């Protein structure tokens, strides 16, 4: 942080340090709309994003890493010929589950919000795709 900023600052200045960095995914596919959640029970980070397969055909990919960026598990939350976009992930502390939510568009232009529940302890989905 430049000294000129600090000398002009009023009040307390808090700087969060970067403790480490890592690449979450280095595959060659086009990855869009990332979202992340932290799972305190397993001390892991949960990532979701669109993987652009073709024009009008994106899928939702899920990845879990430990606090050092080492991949614990990964899978598709939505893998089909339909266009799955705009993923979000949230974690329910105490239950060990994450909810992955996304929009699915069909070829006629209709869309619906869908989701999957993932158990981050067993690394499996606890439900088929849900219509939300």
């Amino acid at each position: 942080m430049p000294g000129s900023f600090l000398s002009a600052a009023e009040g307390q200045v808090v700087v969060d340090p970067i403790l480490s960095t890592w690449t979450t995914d280095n595959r060659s596919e086009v990855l869009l709309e990332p979202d992340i959640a932290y799972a305190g029970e397993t001390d892991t980070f949960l990532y979701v994003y669109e993987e652009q397969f073709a024009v009008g055909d994106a899928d939702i990919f899920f990845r879990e890493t430990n606090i050092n960026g080492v991949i614990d598990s990964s899978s598709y939350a939505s893998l089909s010929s339909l266009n799955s976009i705009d993923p979000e992930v949230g974690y329910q502390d105490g239950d060990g589950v994450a909810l992955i939510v996304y929009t699915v568009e069909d070829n006629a232009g209709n869309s619906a919000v869908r989701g999957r529940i993932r158990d981050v302890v067993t690394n499996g989905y606890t439900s088929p795709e849900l219509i939300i």
Side-chain angles (χ1 to χ4, degrees):
M1 178 166 304
S4 59
F5 174 82
L6 289 175
S7 64
E10 293 183 25
Q12 186 177 17
V13 176
V14 177
V15 178
D16 288 333
I18 297 173
L19 301 177
S20 66
T21 61
W22 62 85
T23 302
T24 58
D25 203 317
N26 58 3
R27 296 178 301 150
S28 61
E29 293 83 5
V30 176
L31 307 175
L32 305 167
E33 301 293 331
D35 194 32
I36 185 172
Y38 175 72
E41 290 173 86
T42 55
D43 207 20
T44 56
F45 294 99
L46 315 173
Y47 301 89
V48 292
Y49 40 81
E50 289 176 29
E51 181 181 276
Q52 192 73 43
F53 179 72
V55 174
D57 182 9
D59 300 309
I60 305 301
F61 193 76
F62 170 88
R63 170 155 288 155
E64 180 179 2
T65 68
N66 68 22
I67 60 170
N68 297 313
V70 177
I71 298 169
D72 288 340
S73 66
S74 59
S75 67
Y76 285 94
S78 175
L79 179 63
S80 72
S81 61
L82 299 177
N83 198 30
S84 300
I85 59 171
D86 299 327
E88 303 288 339
V89 62
Y91 180 73
Q92 177 64 44
D93 230 3
D95 290 335
V97 295
L99 176 61
I100 303 165
V101 179
Y102 44 91
T103 301
V104 177
E105 300 173 333
D106 65 19
N107 295 332
N110 302 310
S111 64
V113 176
R114 298 186 184 181
R116 305 270 318 261
I117 298 172
R118 184 169 175 89
D119 186 317
V120 299
V121 176
T122 64
N123 294 323
Y125 291 100
T126 64
S127 71
E129 188 174 61
L130 307 168
I131 296 176
I132 298 175

